[in-house]
Amino acid sequence: MKKVIVTGGAGFIGSHTVVELNAAGYVPVIIDDLRNSEERVLEGLEAILGSRPRFHRVDCTDAAALGKAIAGEGAVHGVIHFAADKAVGESVEHPAKYYRNNIGSLAVMLEAMIDRRIGQLVFSSSCTVYGQPAALPVAETASDRDASSPYGYTKVVCEQLVRDQCQAAPSLKAVMLRYFNPIGAHPSGRIGELPRGVPSNLVPFVAQTAAGLRAQLLINGDDYATPDGTCIRDYIHVMDLARAHVRALQWMDGRAGSTCEVFNLGTGRGNSVMEVVKGFEDVNGVKVPYAIGPRRAGDVEVVYADTRKSHDVLGWSCHHDLRDALRDAWNWQRSLKP
Ligand code: WQD
């Protein structure tokens, strides 16, 4: 049984990846300080997996605590590093917090991996490194240092840190996955997105509005140069995203020698904010009251993925579409106790 450390494994994408790791025969070990998640995620995972995953409540910037947790696990096959803060708006208000945590936790983890001779890393990156791409769909070869927020720049720096570490220690193999817009939930309704406070992301806000927890959705601008005037994104089902992490580990297993590769994780299709709202209403038979507000600072107009490299090289592609994700997002919202 191959043990895989999943930092941030109690988070949205991390918890769904734990499910897929287990399904693929790996033994996931969660390391998470629960700053942006809750212990009840472990209960949801237990309901899905049939047993509670191993868990260490550790801040990944704490080298001593992280080293102790990893040492306690014995032989470890690989690391999937999700642990990071990821709210674009918050990063503008608190850049130091973002640089310290996002870059610091990765640096500490890389040192721990070298120390423990763990040779495989999957790093959670983001399409925000592209900023507003010059050409669409955006490919991995596009300019990737044009982030439009401190959050995005932490991902730019982290990617460079991983590349430098792979150069310095050829025994380390790394895959960096650039997520587009993860949405949806596990079809069981046992785990899903748990935004703290007011959601900054679109789909959880839509779901909470449909559930009557929010009075209305404010659409951030409808004067963009898009067919309906609202921004376009590439919304990917979180289960497809989770499965890509397992594929990345398997792909590295099959490669000899130094490896450091970047892959886009998107559907390759763009949908507007209005299409998401109307799609959510249609697939779930609910109403989502909304009003048009001003543009949101930092928003790019249109971004969606070129998925050829992920398909041709990684051997991964999406199985779910937007409607599946919006259905599962609503199923999860309804399962949440008010
Ligand atoms: C999508 C669109 C908003 C809320 C996210 C993550 C980021 C990264 C990329 C992983 C925008 C509009 C939103 C609302 C709205 N993911 N919107 N009203 O900004 O693309 O970034 O995905 O790394 O971490 O933040 O996603 O869901 O915030 O916004 O109109 O109440 O929906 O303006 O056009 P975004 P989002």
Side-chain angles (χ1 to χ4, degrees), residues 177-225:
L177 300 176
R178 290 176 178 165
Y179 309 156
F180 282 69
N181 286 56
I183 62 168
H186 188 271
S188 70
R190 298 282 192 166
I191 56 174
E193 201 164 1
L194 269 178
R196 284 189 184 285
V198 179
S200 63
N201 293 138
L202 177 65
V203 172
F205 201 107
V206 165
Q208 289 187 10
T209 304
L213 301 176
R214 307 280 168 203
Q216 69 175 8
L217 167 74
L218 198 60
I219 293 180
N220 300 321
D222 68 347
D223 57 351
Y224 287 96

Side-chain angles (χ1 to χ4, degrees), residues 162-334:
V162 172
R163 279 189 280 268
D164 290 345
Q165 188 62 51
C166 287
Q167 195 74 36
S171 60
L172 174 66
K173 290 188 271 190
V175 164
M176 299 192 280
L177 300 176
R178 290 176 178 165
Y179 309 156
F180 282 69
N181 286 56
I183 62 168
H186 188 271
S188 70
R190 298 282 192 166
I191 56 174
E193 201 164 1
L194 269 178
R196 284 189 184 285
V198 179
S200 63
N201 293 138
L202 177 65
V203 172
F205 201 107
V206 165
Q208 289 187 10
T209 304
L213 301 176
R214 307 280 168 203
Q216 69 175 8
L217 167 74
L218 198 60
I219 293 180
N220 300 321
D222 68 347
D223 57 351
Y224 287 96
T226 61
D228 64 23
T230 63
C231 290
I232 290 174
R233 295 289 186 276
D234 186 332
Y235 296 95
I236 176 172
H237 197 299
V238 65
M239 293 309 293
D240 282 326
L241 204 62
R243 196 166 33 83
H245 291 74
V246 175
R247 184 68 204 114
L249 287 170
Q250 294 165 339
W251 183 77
M252 283 189 280
D253 276 344
R255 289 177 64 83
S258 180
T259 294
C260 187
E261 211 55 73
V262 179
F263 295 100
N264 283 340
L265 295 186
T267 66
R269 290 182 301 281
N271 285 107
S272 73
V273 173
M274 193 60 81
E275 285 171 332
V276 169
V277 173
K278 293 306 173 192
F280 192 94
E281 291 183 326
D282 180 51
V283 79
N284 296 312
V286 295
K287 287 306 285 177
V288 178
Y290 69 85
I292 303 296
R295 291 184 173 194
R296 183 174 72 175
D299 271 349
V300 297
E301 186 168 74
V302 184
V303 61
Y304 54 92
D306 181 328
T307 58
R308 284 174 296 178
K309 185 181 177 186
S310 296
H311 179 269
D312 299 345
V313 178
L314 186 59
W316 167 89
S317 54
C318 286
H319 292 168
H320 300 287
D321 65 14
L322 178 67
R323 291 175 68 84
D324 295 332
L326 296 176
R327 184 181 302 114
D328 289 335
W330 179 234
N331 182 49
W332 162 245
Q333 183 64 52
R334 286 186 306 166

Side-chain angles (χ1 to χ4, degrees), residues 43-204:
E43 290 153 23
L45 285 170
E46 185 172 1
I48 296 168
L49 303 178
S51 63
R52 197 177 178 92
R54 294 179 62 77
F55 170 61
H56 300 270
R57 185 165 186 170
V58 165
D59 174 346
C60 287
T61 62
D62 180 341
L66 183 65
K68 184 167 176 244
I70 294 176
E73 292 299 332
V76 171
H77 180 70
V79 169
I80 303 180
H81 187 64
F82 290 104
D85 292 305
K86 65 139 192 140
V88 170
E90 185 192 32
S91 77
V92 174
E93 293 161 26
H94 304 287
K97 168 187 173 185
Y98 272 67
Y99 281 90
R100 180 181 182 281
N101 185 40
N102 293 8
I103 299 167
S105 65
L106 176 61
V108 168
M109 175 51 83
L110 285 169
E111 289 182 320
M113 289 179 70
I114 298 300
D115 180 47
R116 302 292 304 172
R117 290 181 173 69
I118 301 172
Q120 302 202 97
L121 170 71
V122 179
F123 175 66
S124 166
S125 191
S126 167
C127 66
T128 46
V129 303
Y130 296 122
Q132 177 58 65
L136 289 164
V138 59
E140 291 85 349
T141 50
S143 171
D144 57 8
R145 293 156 196 257
D146 304 320
S148 58
S149 69
Y151 161 74
Y153 274 110
T154 67
K155 293 298 183 183
V156 170
V157 173
C158 284
E159 286 194 2
Q160 189 56 49
L161 171 51
V162 172
R163 279 189 280 268
D164 290 345
Q165 188 62 51
C166 287
Q167 195 74 36
S171 60
L172 174 66
K173 290 188 271 190
V175 164
M176 299 192 280
L177 300 176
R178 290 176 178 165
Y179 309 156
F180 282 69
N181 286 56
I183 62 168
H186 188 271
S188 70
R190 298 282 192 166
I191 56 174
E193 201 164 1
L194 269 178
R196 284 189 184 285
V198 179
S200 63
N201 293 138
L202 177 65
V203 172

